[in-house]
Amino acid sequence: MADSAQHKSLHQSLVGAGALLVGAVMAYGATFISSDAGYAGVGPNALPWVVAVVLLICGAWLIWEAQSGGYRQMDEPSGAERGDWRAAAWVVAGVIANASLITTLGFILACTLCFMLAVRGMRMSEGRAGGGARQVLVDGVTGVLIAAPVFWLFTKLLAINLPGLTASGWL
């Protein structure tokens, strides 16, 4: 029993260490962002610093909790005993495809592809089939219907340049 508690404490401490690591990387990255104050009186590095500090505080707190008795009041885990790595791989593939293809395909098509791959993974995680040709078409249309208005809001309303496939930016 004590060995199981130590094992659980180690895993819980690793979660806190992961939060500390992400916070430290964000703080390091924030040092490279200009601190020149904009029209609102705060510079563009303010939010990354806030997030970094909060992650560092949360990471330290999680480690303290793990070392002082573990996460108390934690519900028993639900779901499958093991993760569904095939389903997770589809979601990860969607995120990686979006990040690597957004400047090539443009925002709308890259986000549509991300949506299609991620929703396939989510469907598979529920034990349902990934989907046939009809489902791929429905997912593609749904992805475009989500990504196109977002693209339009950012580029037209907020005047933020997002990559587009064509000069007009609609693809």
Side-chain angles (χ1 to χ4, degrees):
M1 183 73 175
D3 188 38
S4 175
Q6 272 185 321
H7 191 62
K8 187 181 276 190
S9 175
L10 172 66
H11 285 163
Q12 292 175 356
S13 294
L14 288 174
V15 170
L20 282 175
L21 178 66
V22 171
V25 169
M26 283 201 67
Y28 176 73
T31 63
F32 295 101
I33 300 173
S34 169
S35 64
D36 295 337
Y39 65 91
V42 294
N45 70 345
L47 186 59
W49 274 113
V50 169
V51 173
V53 168
V54 169
L55 278 169
L56 290 168
I57 291 169
C58 287
W61 191 356
L62 287 168
I63 291 173
W64 177 81
E65 284 284 334
Q67 296 303 311
S68 65
Y71 303 157
R72 298 154 191 75
Q73 303 175 8
M74 191 166 97
D75 293 337
E76 286 298 316
S78 63
E81 190 172 315
R82 298 205 180 273
D84 186 348
W85 294 108
R86 282 185 34 229
W90 280 100
V91 175
V92 170
V95 173
I96 291 172
N98 188 358
S100 60
L101 296 173
I102 196 164
T103 56
T104 306
L105 294 180
F107 181 86
I108 295 173
L109 295 179
C111 288
T112 298
L113 179 61
C114 177
F115 177 82
M116 292 171 66
L117 295 173
V119 86
R120 180 182 179 95
M122 293 297 179
R123 206 175 285 118
M124 290 173 66
S125 74
E126 295 175 341
R128 299 183 346 210
R134 183 180 185 282
Q135 190 63 56
V136 168
L137 181 63
V138 168
D139 292 345
V141 169
T142 305
V144 168
L145 290 174
I146 293 170
V150 170
F151 180 85
W152 184 82
L153 285 171
F154 272 85
T155 58
K156 305 300 179 198
L157 191 62
L158 299 175
I160 296 173
N161 292 329
L162 294 175
L165 182 62
T166 64
S168 68
W170 277 101
L171 280 180

